[in-house]
Amino acid sequence: MSNSELLSIEPLDLQFPFELRKQICCSLYLTNKTDNYVAFKVKTTNPKKYCVRPNNGVVLPRSTCEVQVTMQAQKEAPADMQCKDKFLLQCVVASPGTTPKDVTPEMFSREAGHRVEETKLRVVYGPPPRPPSPVREGSEEGSSPRASVSDNGNASEFTVPRSSIDRVESQENSSEARALIAKLTEEKNSAVQLNNRLQQELELMRRGSERRRGGISVMYVLLVGLIGIILGYLLKRT
């Protein structure tokens, strides 16, 4: 904080996290400690390197004004990361109702009898900001899966236990097995019923043939063979 009677200036060191080929910004806050209008002006020893917005203006009584200083992209890093650039902030009491458009260079002239306060500011280079830590996609092996989006569009925080998932999968497999067993059992019962019905019909045919001819007919033998083929095929499926 400065020793100025008019403005409290923060920070006194303009800190820039230095990165090559990238514009870097730093904010300067001017707080009016008086009940007067205070006009200010910002100068630098290297005007081509920095852009100051606003470079002059008025701070209202008991209020704060932000000044943004932007360093242009640099192609080379300075030796030992030391910077010799400096800024000078001048401030003076202004007439009530003064606006930024009313600020002129003559207001900061001591020759004209104005009481001008000056504060020197240094430029300090700091290390560039650290990149954010990479986030691994998906859940780690062995951990419980997480739901991606909830009904209201926000990421859901609850997890599903792995044991529950295994239990559901086991139940689904058991249901499929029971359905398959029931189907095969039904086909087997149908085959048995068909075999019984054919056996009855063959017995009737055999008795009728014996009464007429006194022996077993060729048709009876063929039907017995057909029944054996059908029954064997159906029993294989079960």
Side-chain angles (χ1 to χ4, degrees), residues 49-66:
K49 184 177 178 180
Y50 301 93
C51 177
V52 182
R53 292 290 182 273
N55 60 355
N56 62 57
V58 176
V59 185
L60 301 180
R62 306 295 177 181
S63 63
T64 300
C65 174
E66 179 182 3

Side-chain angles (χ1 to χ4, degrees), residues 30-59:
L30 312 179
T31 301
N32 189 346
K33 300 188 291 184
T34 71
D35 295 324
N36 301 312
Y37 281 64
V38 176
F40 70 89
K41 183 177 182 179
V42 182
K43 296 181 178 181
T44 178
T45 57
N46 196 344
K48 293 183 179 181
K49 184 177 178 180
Y50 301 93
C51 177
V52 182
R53 292 290 182 273
N55 60 355
N56 62 57
V58 176
V59 185

Side-chain angles (χ1 to χ4, degrees), residues 8-9 12 31 33 51 55-56 72 83 89 102-103 105-106 124 126 130 132 137 177 206 210 215 227:
S8 172
I9 305 170
L12 293 177
T31 301
K33 300 188 291 184
C51 177
N55 60 355
N56 62 57
Q72 304 302 318
C83 183
L89 189 141
D102 300 328
V103 177
E106 288 75 15
V124 178
R130 293 183 179 180
E137 296 183 0
R206 184 182 64 81
E210 288 179 351
I227 291 173

Side-chain angles (χ1 to χ4, degrees), residues 160-178:
V160 182
R162 183 64 204 177
S163 59
S164 299
I165 296 176
D166 293 338
R167 186 164 54 253
V168 172
E169 292 177 351
S170 177
Q171 291 175 355
E172 292 177 352
N173 294 335
S174 299
S175 300
E176 294 179 357
R178 286 196 298 270

Side-chain angles (χ1 to χ4, degrees), residues 28-221:
L28 188 66
Y29 297 94
L30 312 179
T31 301
N32 189 346
K33 300 188 291 184
T34 71
D35 295 324
N36 301 312
Y37 281 64
V38 176
F40 70 89
K41 183 177 182 179
V42 182
K43 296 181 178 181
T44 178
T45 57
N46 196 344
K48 293 183 179 181
K49 184 177 178 180
Y50 301 93
C51 177
V52 182
R53 292 290 182 273
N55 60 355
N56 62 57
V58 176
V59 185
L60 301 180
R62 306 295 177 181
S63 63
T64 300
C65 174
E66 179 182 3
V67 177
Q68 190 173 75
V69 182
T70 302
M71 184 177 68
Q72 304 302 318
Q74 301 297 301
K75 297 181 180 179
E76 296 179 358
D80 301 326
M81 294 296 291
Q82 300 296 320
C83 183
K84 298 180 180 180
D85 300 332
K86 290 182 174 56
F87 284 80
L88 178 66
L89 189 141
Q90 297 176 310
C91 58
V92 63
V93 175
S95 302
T98 301
T99 65
K101 294 181 179 180
D102 300 328
V103 177
T104 61
E106 288 75 15
M107 296 175 63
F108 304 94
S109 173
R110 288 190 173 89
E111 288 76 8
H114 300 293
R115 182 182 176 183
V116 181
E117 293 186 356
E118 295 182 344
T119 302
K120 293 181 180 180
L121 309 174
R122 297 190 311 157
V123 175
V124 178
Y125 290 154
R130 293 183 179 180
S133 300
V135 179
R136 296 182 61 182
E137 296 183 0
S139 57
E140 295 183 358
E141 184 179 357
S143 63
S144 301
R146 291 181 179 271
S148 58
V149 180
S150 63
D151 292 339
N152 59 3
N154 296 324
S156 177
E157 295 297 331
F158 65 87
T159 59
V160 182
R162 183 64 204 177
S163 59
S164 299
I165 296 176
D166 293 338
R167 186 164 54 253
V168 172
E169 292 177 351
S170 177
Q171 291 175 355
E172 292 177 352
N173 294 335
S174 299
S175 300
E176 294 179 357
R178 286 196 298 270
L180 179 59
I181 293 173
K183 182 179 179 180
L184 294 176
T185 302
E186 183 179 354
E187 291 181 355
K188 180 179 180 180
N189 293 336
S190 299
V192 172
Q193 293 176 3
L194 177 60
N195 179 61
N196 293 336
R197 188 164 59 251
L198 291 175
Q199 289 287 356
Q200 293 175 1
E201 293 178 357
L202 286 174
E203 183 64 24
L204 293 175
M205 292 177 63
R206 184 182 64 81
R207 291 177 181 177
S209 176
E210 288 179 351
R211 286 195 300 267
R212 291 192 301 271
R213 301 180 182 179
I216 299 175
S217 65
V218 176
M219 181 61 69
Y220 174 79
V221 175

